[in-house]
Amino acid sequence: MTEELFSTDAYARTCSATVAEVTESGLVLDRTVFYARGGGQPGDTGVIRWDRGGVSVTDTVKRDGHVLHLLEGEPPPVGASVEAEIDWERRHTLMRTHTALHALSAVIFRDHDTKVTGGNMEPGIARMDFELEAIDAEFAKRVEEVLNAELAADRPVRVSFLPRAEALLDPDLIRTKVNLIPESVDPIRVIEIEGLDKQADGGTHVRSTAEVGAVRVAKTENKGKAFKRMRIELARA
Ligand SMILES: [Zn+2]
């Protein structure tokens, strides 16, 4: 298993590591700062350097419990000592986007009693699907205002690890379907936006909602009966 440094420290940009395995599709390290695609958050990109060269990481995915770095170029050999560095600008934008999405889902649930059914993000842009009969510009405007007020409140965002048995009893985590996480996962990683949202989540987030900055509701779409989609964008790059 790869030691996933991003799980406890989202702000780590680089780490030293040893090449554990080189496969046809990519590279496995003993430890990494590269987030592997999952939970709606794209995988990290960046560079891996060693004494004889460097290679670009074009994406990062999870495979058989390992974090697999997808490369463009010649990989370093097994056993090599390397320095792994993520594209921090892109990742930090993704962290802001991810935290914004959690805040949005909390506002939609709290103020409109509406269940969120899915979400996805790119750097600076995210979409969320939810069960709602009707949606209009007025609704989008109201959500945008409330969301921005919550973000500006500078709420701390915390990572914690809860024993699975405990997580299954937490009403907030039940609401966000903690029971659907595979049984082998214990403890459960929890992301909490103080006073606003709590959910089981593997992604990387900023330390506080003020770091997200303001958000715009870019678009609302009617995708069918009780299936509405909202797109948000970070107001500053
Ligand atoms: Zn998330």
Side-chain angles (χ1 to χ4, degrees):
M1 288 280 279
T2 312
E3 189 189 345
E4 302 177 352
L5 301 169
F6 54 82
S7 182
T8 49
D9 183 5
Y11 287 81
R13 306 177 190 197
T14 64
C15 72
S16 50
T18 305
V19 177
E21 199 187 337
V22 180
T23 74
E24 229 163 80
S25 43
L27 182 76
V28 179
L29 300 173
D30 62 339
R31 60 209 292 267
T32 190
V33 286
F34 281 74
Y35 178 76
R37 192 197 307 162
Q41 183 178 332
D44 279 329
T45 59
V47 63
I48 289 173
R49 295 185 191 89
W50 66 103
D51 60 356
R52 300 264 173 86
V55 67
S56 293
V57 178
T58 56
D59 198 358
T60 310
V61 298
K62 206 69 173 271
R63 201 141 314 152
D64 308 323
H66 292 302
V67 176
L68 190 66
H69 306 79
L70 310 187
L71 307 179
E72 197 175 79
E74 276 303 301
V78 171
S81 296
V82 300
E83 188 76 14
E85 182 179 4
I86 57 172
D87 177 341
W88 173 247
E89 293 254 321
R90 178 177 177 276
R91 155 70 95 69
H92 186 246
T93 304
L94 281 167
M95 285 158 61
R96 291 167 58 218
T97 309
H98 200 157
T99 302
L101 201 58
H102 281 215
L104 173 63
S105 76
V107 165
I108 293 271
F109 177 76
R110 185 194 64 192
D111 298 353
H112 304 278
D113 199 23
T114 295
K115 238 181 14 205
V116 173
T117 53
N120 209 355
M121 74 202 82
E122 292 297 322
I125 306 169
R127 69 159 170 82
M128 211 182 67
D129 297 333
F130 42 90
E131 286 179 11
L132 198 68
E133 289 304 328
I135 192 166
D136 56 22
E138 181 63 23
F139 176 85
K141 189 83 217 142
R142 216 162 47 232
V143 167
E144 184 180 280
E145 277 169 19
V146 173
L147 175 58
N148 279 322
E150 293 292 355
L151 293 171
D154 202 9
R155 296 179 178 278
V157 182
R158 295 198 188 87
V159 185
S160 60
F161 293 84
L162 261 189
R164 185 182 177 89
E166 223 173 286
L168 288 172
L169 298 174
D170 186 305
D172 292 324
L173 299 178
I174 291 169
R175 168 174 78 75
T176 53
K177 304 212 176 79
V178 68
N179 59 310
L180 296 185
I181 296 172
E183 270 189 46
S184 59
V185 179
D186 190 0
I188 303 273
R189 185 172 182 271
V190 175
I191 298 291
E192 182 173 11
I193 304 177
E194 197 181 277
L196 185 65
D197 185 61
K198 194 197 237 181
Q199 46 183 297
D201 191 84
T204 58
H205 291 260
V206 289
R207 293 187 183 100
S208 93
T209 57
E211 203 168 311
V212 175
V215 163
R216 252 191 317 267
V217 173
K219 198 176 180 188
T220 55
E221 291 171 89
N222 188 349
K223 305 294 280 186
K225 189 178 176 335
F227 178 13
K228 303 295 175 277
R229 177 169 286 177
M230 184 176 275
R231 291 177 191 277
I232 59 168
E233 290 174 1
L234 299 181
R236 68 179 160 83

